[in-house]
Amino acid sequence: MTFTTSARLTSGLLRGGLVLALAAMIGWAPAPVAAQATGTLVGTVRDAASQRPLEAVQVYLGGTGIGALTNAAGRFLLLNVPAGEATLIAEIVGYRSGTATVTVGAGQSVVQDFGLQQTAITLDEVVVTGAGIATEKRKLGNTIATLDAASLENAPIADFSQMIAGREPGVVALPSSGSTGEGAAIRIRGSSSLSQLNEPIIYVDGIRVDRSAVSLSGTGNPSRLDDIPPESIDRVEILKGAAAATLYGTEASNGVIQIFTKRGRAGAPQFTAQADWTGIRVPTNRILPVADYIGRDCSSAGCASAADVTKMNEYRSRMQNRFGVTPGDFENFENDLVTDVLGPGFGQIYSASVSGGSESFQYFVSGRYTDENGVITTDVFPETDGIDFSEDTNRRVGFTSNFTIIPTSKVRIGVSTLYSDMEQSTPDNGNNIYGFFSSMLMSQPRRATAMDGGNYYGAPAFGTTREFAYQFNQAASSHFAGSTTIGFTPTESFRLDGTFGLDFTSDDRVFGRPYGHAVDNFTNANRDGDRTVREDRSREITADLKGSHIATFGDNFENTLLFGGQGFLRQRQSAGGGGNTFPGPGLETLSALANQSASESWTRVTQLGGYLQDQVGINDWIFLTVGGRWDANSAFGEDFATAFYPKASASIVPSQGLGWQNDTFSTFRIRAALGKSGLQPDAFAKFTTYQPAPSEEGPGVSPANLGNNALRPEVSTEWEVGAELGLFNDRWSVDVTYWDRTVQDAMVSRQFSPTGGFTQQQLVNIGELAGKGFEASIRGTVLQREGLSLNVFANTAYLSENITSLGGAPPLKTGGSYPRYRNYLLEGYAPGSFFGAQIADVDVPLNLDGSCTAFTREAALATGSFDVPIKPSTFKPLAIGNSTGASVPNPGFDAADGSLASNNCGSGLLGTLLGKPTPDFAGSTGFNLSFASNFEIAALFDYKWGGQNQDLSGMFRKANAVIGRNTPRAAELGAIMQSPTSAPGDRLDAAIAWAREVEGLSPMSGLNGIFDTNMVRFRELSLTYRVPSDLVDGWGLSTATINLGARNLMLWLPGSDYTGMDPETNVIGRCNGGLSCNFLQATEGWALPIPRRFTLSTRVTF
Amino acid sequence: MIKKIKAPILAVAAVFTLTGCDLLDVDNPNSLVEEDIQREAAANGVANGSLRLASGAIADVWEGPAVVSDELYWTGSRDAWGQLDQGFIDDPYNEFTDGAFPGFGQAVWMARNAVTILEGHVANNPGDADFARDLARAKMFRGMVLMVVGETQDDMTFSDKQEDGAPVGPAGMSGILDQAIAELDAAVSGFSTLGETDLATTATAIRARAKMSRVIWDVLNPSATVGTAIAMAAARTDAETVLASVGGSDWKYNLTFSAASTSNPMGSNVNSRGENQWDESLVENTGPGASGRTGVVTLGDPFTGGSDLAVSAALTQWGTGTYGPISIATERLMRLIVAEDALAGGNTGDFEAQINAIRDLDNADAAHDYTYAAGNEVEALTHHRRVNTLFMGLRLQDMYRWGITLAKWDPQSAALTAPGTMLPITIVECRANTTIGEANC
């Protein structure tokens, strides 16, 4: 057996391989060879180091049309092999090709095994996304990332969100919370829009699918992308930006993700079955205990009044009954009671698939069932007759099928379907005063009673944790995606493809409280129950027609012409109702409510586009591509002129064309691309509209959308340059890309004067957003010997973004008037930058006399303010301000030179730059170790570096006078300040510490709540054991593996002062666009930390 | 080959040509466009829309001053209510006054827009009673919302879509009340012409309040120069006109709320969310999580010693849900206007009679009637005005004019340092309005 590097293959072989690859992609197999003296070739293809069988390896006889793909056991079978000597070739992306000279006698069956060595560079990998037709990566001037699902089959991933997390530089999956069923938001190269959803568009098998979140109340919002079973995915292709996504036109500027599901292969049915059992546990090490002290509520001097004495005794009695302690006055008490409601969760996944077929018909059918019971537990509470606690569960059933029909050698028909059914239930959660978990974090032990006392966890307001346990958020969703692709190849050089499909989703969501939920007689929130029902239906229709023609001119030039047209129709219907007050227990329908309301909406967006692209290949190592896309979109009305997005790119492989290669520098490619793509607003955004506003005297109307007749798509222009370097015979690879993006005509949700009648923000094309960054990855083989190999990888992505213009629009803040969300869109700063109050850097940062002058310690004591007990609310911190003149771009915010013009007596109190939500660097690193022939250990670490996060729940817990001040530090300082026995100096010191560490919220929004955050997460660890083939054979199986996996094992925050529970959680969860959705990704608020997950899985094929 | 390539290109082109226009022309069934609301068929909807916006906005904007005053106090999670509780009413960044401002501004704009549209219909259809009635309603709603602007704001802008209006300026706010009175004049006239006596009475009652507020405004802003001061007697005249029609019936003109229209933000915040509660000087909230719904009246009647019956009545009107009505004008307020003018004129008999007429509305027995005595008249007036105008958006101004302060007010707060301070133009308007800007907010 001999090995050749791909670089040494002749161009003829490359073309042959490509043809075969294309043939494999379309499911085409050559016709049987006419009867002659023939034999049979069989064998197994394995990874040379790990001895892992390799599936889907192309094994073919050179110079013939005879070939096959290996099955899950790595086995291949070639029938009708002409007798004689031949060259057998085995190829698969990610491995160096294997060749062997075999001699087959008539009627003989010859065994030829391969052990392929891994290669770190994959320029010959065939992709289709963004290229229009199947094309090798080396011909493309832009970045395209590919995820091979086969390489992840042993990774501890349960859904698509986990599948793409941490794999590619520049592609970030944001998990949002640890709530059961929560989907991840996806960002590619940051944000390319200030107002529109910054998620990439998603295609499955050629059709657009719904990428939205199933919006529940708070967090725990499932992602539609998780409807796609990971086991059914063959590979994922990711276009990272406008330069690559031009052919996708309007809506593509956030990138494109295309998912290709598995296809059947000719042969006997091959079955795969897998079972996963997962234990789930929330880490509690960063959840601060609740703390409290007796005397906090005193209103009289020295707590001497009869009312205060009575109140203190009452609280002391409660704590004795509840916790068995009798704290003295102003004595701190701490308890980890939050962990009471965080039990172990459990999940199970069962999946199975079968594939096979004949040369003219192949199939792949799979099914999957998942059931997860989350970590929220209500076991501590006694049940109440007639009403049930909300569940914390997610269940999905999914089916996929792919059928390939080849009626003639020129026609290929593919039919793909996906069906998913999901049920999700969570208690109220997130940044919500009725949240189950948040109510635990608000606990104040002095208020706690025995269970029958009605306030087991010491709720200060709104309701008890037990009452909130009855509040439910439920979703029942169905998702169907079906597509048909017809390929017609009238000649070898000309090809036509048509893809038609429908993606349909149906969400029924119910939120509410049952009648009688106020079991502790505490909450006043609709004590007789309430219910809200929403039913959403979404249809997305894709029609895609394209043609390609490949022409060669002599031996040196190849021209590929691509043309096509697309149509998309997206329609959403929503209807619902809600109300409150059931007449009695047991009723659970809207019609039973005393107060009812209803709503309905309907939108449709149609997009029509066409594109043309031409690629010239010179000597098979220089590739130049130019193209363009035209789009029209109903969001702009029928009078809107077509938008045009051009592109150009170049790819040069000097190592091939100029022979710049040796054993050390084995492959070298440089590439550059320039392109545009767009983003459109939602339907009807340009029109001035009035909405229904029924009054008590009859139907009415009120202003809705201000309108903007000049509204048009925002346009991203991006260029990128990059290079790939293969080292040490391609055992190592280095891939670097620099990109630069400018979004012009950026749509800004501008707030016009509310007294002008229209309070909704109006989209206007006045912004400009600049972004740039680089992505680098390195991967390679450290060790490779028989039975032992170690592969490592590391990648990083640097991101820099800046709003270069808001077109004169006022700054925009997340959350509207809600002051605690501090992310702004502000000219000259990164989108979503944090602005807020910052404590003055003086010895005594207290505004003792309202004049905003800093006191010395002596002067502060001399005021006498600290001679007597003080409450935290009675003094004001001294914060710096940034009052700048009206002539600067952002009056009231940080001056460009960072100068501070005033303290908190001036405007600009909330205008200090405190950070930005997107980290400078994000990436991952990991390794894969194979040993003892049948074992593998793989690990993945994620990291983010150089950003800031807001600990909103911590700010409430520290500073809020009613529901907070229950962290150990807040209680400690509060007790010192309020205790009559404290010395004045101690009170002053406590007040200073309070100002520097604890004070926050209104009117000091942002103070002591936004921190530098660097994060490293031990994301994945897996140990895989492949049962030896001799054992497996005895069981009648092809393969069997046992896998132990873990996710989110550890979290480190090196060099960070972040105080929150988990910097990966945020207040919005998976969401559907808008300012807050886009830029609150680094604001943690009452969400469950990301749980650790431990999975045992087994997989067999037969 | 060229022919083969041409075919699909032509097919794509054909798709564009034949279907493109229709596909891109998508109807919007969710809302109306500008020309739709200008149609005569939409006249009633336009007037109703004005009422709907005014109802929600007034209930929303009143909550801030109510928290500053001794009507509500903060018990929830959001500190900006606490700021108001401490008397910081002038912070343009306060999330609740800032949150209420856009709806308030929209209600003002819609009120003007409705009048403009309906004036057009009336001009085009002289003699049409339906249009005339809707126009009179629109004028009444506009008068009402302008009256609330004059009562609760220290400054205001009046923009039109993308045309920013400059702030009126603090001195100019009396002119807003004058505009309100002028609109109400037109409403009264319109209803009278149509024979709509009940509506005419309502508009007259609102005008009485507006005139009284204009008088109070002059008291709180003694250096104001815009407009002509109104005599208290003018308010009294209107009040007496109303009382002549509805006296003794405990008549009220309420803005009402329901699931079919919208909820009352104050009711939601107090009764459901528990963010604010009735001040403990009025009601003691019983139970661990109780609010006004289970409260016990704590305020005593200065003349009976028992719990105050008017507070009980207000508590009943407030209700337990999120749809409790708010009163704009009531018989009680009319009598208070008459009583105050009588007292100012030295007619203590009339003053006593009006106070007792109010007490009679709560079924106070004759044994507990108020009897005038030199020195008790101030307490009689201030107490009865407080308990009979609860949550009518008048208390804070009354506290200012009578020099009432609260222990909860921070020494540095505007309520204490600058009595008379009402709501500012908030940051959302400052930023968006090019005539102001954040730096000048």
Side-chain angles (χ1 to χ4, degrees), chain A residues 291-370:
Chain A
D292 210 346
Y293 57 93
I294 302 291
R296 178 178 157 177
D297 311 273
C298 286
S299 57
S300 62
C303 299
S305 72
D308 282 341
V309 170
T310 301
K311 193 179 291 182
M312 291 169 78
N313 287 335
E314 163 68 14
Y315 286 149
R316 213 181 323 271
S317 172
R318 288 187 183 203
M319 293 180 74
Q320 172 62 42
N321 290 335
R322 173 67 173 86
F323 302 108
V325 298
T326 309
D329 294 351
F330 304 100
E331 179 184 337
N332 274 304
F333 171 79
E334 292 183 13
N335 194 295
D336 283 325
L337 53 79
V338 177
T339 58
D340 280 11
V341 297
L342 301 177
F346 177 71
Q348 49 190 330
I349 303 175
Y350 304 99
S351 64
S353 66
V354 59
S355 68
S358 65
E359 290 174 355
S360 59
F361 176 74
Q362 294 102 44
Y363 59 88
F364 174 90
V365 178
S366 74
R368 187 184 211 241
Y369 171 75
T370 70

Side-chain angles (χ1 to χ4, degrees), chain A residues 200-523:
Chain A
I201 51 174
I202 309 292
Y203 285 76
V204 174
D205 290 331
I207 65 166
R208 269 193 204 173
V209 297
D210 188 357
R211 58 180 169 171
S212 65
V214 180
S215 294
L216 298 170
S217 174
T219 57
N221 299 335
S223 167
R224 278 278 166 234
L225 301 183
D226 293 335
D227 292 341
I228 305 162
E231 295 87 356
S232 70
I233 295 174
D234 179 63
R235 72 184 194 284
V236 179
E237 297 181 358
I238 303 172
L239 299 179
K240 293 184 180 177
T246 295
L247 293 190
Y248 292 88
T250 305
E251 294 194 315
S253 60
N254 291 303
V256 178
I257 292 180
Q258 178 144 223
I259 298 165
F260 297 89
T261 58
K262 288 179 178 172
R263 311 254 154 196
R265 287 194 293 274
Q270 175 178 297
F271 295 88
T272 301
Q274 180 166 335
D276 296 357
W277 299 274
T278 300
I280 309 164
R281 193 88 204 195
V282 167
T284 58
N285 57 309
R286 294 188 63 84
I287 302 176
L288 294 175
V290 296
D292 210 346
Y293 57 93
I294 302 291
R296 178 178 157 177
D297 311 273
C298 286
S299 57
S300 62
C303 299
S305 72
D308 282 341
V309 170
T310 301
K311 193 179 291 182
M312 291 169 78
N313 287 335
E314 163 68 14
Y315 286 149
R316 213 181 323 271
S317 172
R318 288 187 183 203
M319 293 180 74
Q320 172 62 42
N321 290 335
R322 173 67 173 86
F323 302 108
V325 298
T326 309
D329 294 351
F330 304 100
E331 179 184 337
N332 274 304
F333 171 79
E334 292 183 13
N335 194 295
D336 283 325
L337 53 79
V338 177
T339 58
D340 280 11
V341 297
L342 301 177
F346 177 71
Q348 49 190 330
I349 303 175
Y350 304 99
S351 64
S353 66
V354 59
S355 68
S358 65
E359 290 174 355
S360 59
F361 176 74
Q362 294 102 44
Y363 59 88
F364 174 90
V365 178
S366 74
R368 187 184 211 241
Y369 171 75
T370 70
D371 183 346
E372 185 166 309
N373 202 333
V375 297
I376 292 290
T377 177
T378 55
D379 290 349
V380 70
F381 299 120
E383 295 183 353
T384 303
D385 288 343
I387 52 176
D388 298 320
F389 293 121
S390 173
E391 291 186 346
D392 179 28
T393 57
N394 178 277
R395 298 185 187 88
R396 286 180 194 266
V397 177
F399 300 97
T400 67
S401 69
N402 268 321
F403 301 100
T404 304
I405 306 160
I406 309 171
T408 74
S409 62
K410 295 182 178 180
V411 176
R412 174 189 55 83
I413 301 170
V415 179
S416 300
T417 63
L418 159 74
Y419 177 76
S420 174
D421 198 83
M422 182 198 72
E423 291 181 356
Q424 163 105 349
S425 177
T426 70
D428 257 7
N429 57 45
N431 185 12
N432 178 353
I433 60 169
Y434 306 121
F436 179 81
F437 182 57
S438 60
S439 76
M440 293 295 292
L441 294 170
M442 297 177 195
S443 295
Q444 295 178 351
R446 72 185 189 285
R447 300 179 186 274
T449 68
M451 184 65 76
D452 58 5
N455 197 357
Y456 192 60
Y457 287 111
F462 311 126
T464 66
T465 304
R466 177 163 65 152
E467 290 172 335
F468 295 159
Y470 293 104
Q471 299 176 176
F472 54 87
N473 293 288
Q474 296 170 346
S477 301
S478 299
H479 188 177
F480 171 80
S483 66
T484 298
T485 300
I486 302 171
F488 176 51
T489 313
T491 71
E492 287 186 3
S493 59
F494 183 60
R495 180 181 176 86
L496 286 172
D497 286 283
T499 300
F500 310 92
L502 165 70
D503 184 75
F504 174 80
T505 60
S506 168
D507 296 330
D508 293 343
R509 290 169 285 148
V510 185
F511 319 108
R513 304 173 173 91
Y515 181 93
H517 67 98
V519 291
D520 290 322
N521 192 30
F522 193 115
T523 185

Side-chain angles (χ1 to χ4, degrees), chain B residues 102-182:
Chain B
F104 199 28
Q106 184 176 55
V108 173
W109 181 89
M110 185 64 187
R112 181 179 55 179
N113 195 42
V115 168
T116 303
I117 290 172
L118 289 161
E119 282 177 340
H121 296 331
V122 168
N124 294 331
N125 301 275
D128 186 305
D130 289 339
F131 288 136
R133 185 176 184 277
D134 280 330
L135 175 60
R137 289 175 65 226
K139 286 180 175 290
M140 182 172 76
F141 299 147
R142 184 171 188 228
M144 175 177 67
V145 76
L146 286 174
M147 174 186 74
V148 177
V149 169
E151 291 171 345
T152 58
Q153 291 288 136
D154 268 352
D155 199 356
M156 193 63 178
T157 59
F158 297 88
S159 303
D160 184 15
K161 294 184 176 173
Q162 297 186 34
E163 292 179 23
D164 295 337
V168 170
M173 291 303 289
S174 60
I176 306 304
L177 287 166
D178 293 341
Q179 282 185 47
I181 293 166

Side-chain angles (χ1 to χ4, degrees), chain A residues 922-1007:
Chain A
S924 61
T925 186
F927 66 85
N928 186 308
L929 173 67
S930 300
F931 60 99
S933 297
N934 294 307
F935 288 91
E936 279 185 32
I937 293 178
L940 175 71
F941 298 82
D942 267 354
Y943 69 89
K944 294 175 184 172
W945 213 270
Q948 282 73 35
N949 283 62
Q950 181 177 359
D951 175 22
L952 179 59
S953 35
M955 295 169 77
F956 271 104
R957 285 197 61 193
K958 286 188 295 188
N960 190 279
V962 176
I963 65 167
R965 300 185 180 174
N966 71 346
T967 64
R969 185 62 168 158
E972 175 195 352
L973 296 174
I976 292 172
M977 286 187 279
Q978 287 192 259
S979 172
T981 62
S982 297
D986 292 341
R987 289 197 193 100
L988 174 60
D989 289 341
I992 293 170
W994 183 276
R996 287 191 175 138
E997 302 171 37
V998 176
E999 183 64 61
L1001 305 178
S1002 300
M1004 296 287 171
S1005 299
L1007 184 65

